[in-house]
């Protein structure tokens, strides 16, 4: 038990240091995205694998339409956005609630959404939650975060020429929407061959 606790604390400290380093690079402008064409399902799948432990008490639903076009992004950075959003959803929503990941295309804009059935965001915090070290709602599990995850998401969105917003859903819970511009010349990929 003591060994497990030590391993968990070491993992959290490593995650905190990674977040601080990532934020420093993004702030300094030295982490220019290495954009390439990616299959969105693969990025989401990798992020789900990385957050499997945090999400084990939640029902996770993924709704990416069949034939969703390739996305022109830095795959590792976009994966980090999904990891941060899913960790937050798991941290701030009760067990057994649903976390939904979905995607839509609106012209040349890809909208990537992570929504939950939790208590939602405190009124007036929708913009502040993207500030460094800000935490909107203290929870028993919130002490585990650094307050950098959403600031990193915003910096990654900005580095891609996009934006991320948050709001409360009418049906309850919070929704985070990442909007990224996509080039018009999307290559076709036949996944059935």
């Amino acid at each position: 038990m003591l060994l497990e606790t030590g391993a968990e604390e070491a993992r959290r400290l490593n995650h905190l240091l990674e977040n601080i380093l990532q934020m420093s690079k993004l702030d300094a402008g030295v982490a220019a995205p290495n954009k390439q064409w990616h299959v969105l399902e693969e990025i989401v799948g990798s992020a789900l694998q990385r957050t499997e432990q945090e999400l084990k008490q939640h029902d996770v639903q993924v709704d990416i339409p069949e034939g969703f076009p390739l996305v022109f992004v830095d795959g590792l950075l976009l994966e980090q956005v999904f990891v941060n959003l899913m960790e937050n959803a798991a941290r701030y929503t009760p067990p057994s609630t649903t976390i939904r990941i979905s995607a839509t295309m609106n012209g040349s804009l890809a909208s990537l959404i992570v929504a939950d059935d939790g208590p939602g965001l405190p009124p007036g915090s929708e913009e502040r939650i993207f500030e460094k070290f800000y935490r909107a709602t203290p929870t028993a599990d919130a002490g585990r975060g650094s307050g950098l995850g959403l600031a990193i998401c915003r910096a990654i969105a900005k580095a891609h020429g996009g934006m991320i917003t948050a709001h409360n859903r009418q049906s309850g819970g919070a929704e985070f929407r990442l909007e990224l511009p996509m080039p018009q010349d999307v290559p076709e990929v036949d996944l059935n061959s």
Side-chain angles (χ1 to χ4, degrees):
M1 182 66 167
L2 185 57
L3 193 56
E4 271 182 36
T5 302
E8 174 63 21
E9 289 302 315
R11 189 178 78 75
R12 284 188 11 216
L13 181 58
N14 185 47
H15 186 64
L16 172 64
L17 292 173
E18 285 174 1
N19 275 344
I20 290 171
L21 180 61
Q22 184 77 38
M23 195 70 237
S24 298
K25 286 180 180 179
L26 290 166
D27 277 349
V30 296
N34 178 17
K35 293 182 184 180
Q36 297 178 25
W37 292 105
H38 291 276
V39 176
L40 182 59
E41 292 92 335
E42 291 177 4
I43 293 173
V44 171
S46 183
L48 285 169
Q49 197 169 29
R50 283 180 53 193
T51 55
E52 184 176 8
Q53 188 66 25
E54 291 86 350
L55 296 171
K56 67 183 177 186
Q57 295 183 20
H58 291 82
D59 174 33
V60 179
Q61 298 176 358
V62 178
D63 180 21
I64 299 173
E66 189 175 327
F68 194 82
L70 296 175
V71 290
F72 192 64
V73 296
D74 183 315
L76 294 175
L77 290 179
L78 185 58
E79 179 183 323
Q80 188 61 50
V81 169
F82 280 111
V83 165
N84 290 356
L85 292 176
M86 290 186 285
E87 284 179 345
N88 269 13
R91 184 177 294 131
Y92 290 100
T93 59
S96 301
T97 56
T98 302
I99 298 169
R100 290 173 194 80
I101 302 161
S102 59
T104 60
M105 280 300 293
N106 302 313
S108 63
L109 198 63
S111 294
L112 314 175
I113 300 160
V114 176
D116 63 57
D117 291 337
L121 303 166
S125 69
E126 295 87 349
E127 189 60 31
R128 289 202 62 205
I129 58 174
F130 294 104
E131 295 174 8
K132 289 181 225 167
F133 306 112
Y134 179 79
R135 286 190 239 165
T137 309
T139 68
D141 207 26
R144 305 176 118 206
S146 62
L148 285 174
L150 294 177
I152 289 171
C153 290
R154 176 152 282 172
I156 291 171
K158 198 173 177 183
H160 281 81
M163 61 183 286
I164 186 169
T165 57
H167 68 273
N168 286 321
R169 299 169 57 223
Q170 284 188 337
S171 58
E175 177 179 295
F176 291 83
R177 179 180 297 264
L178 173 64
E179 295 186 330
L180 299 173
M182 291 294 131
Q184 294 295 320
D185 55 337
V186 179
E188 293 288 327
V189 174
D190 184 8
L191 299 175
N192 296 324
S193 54

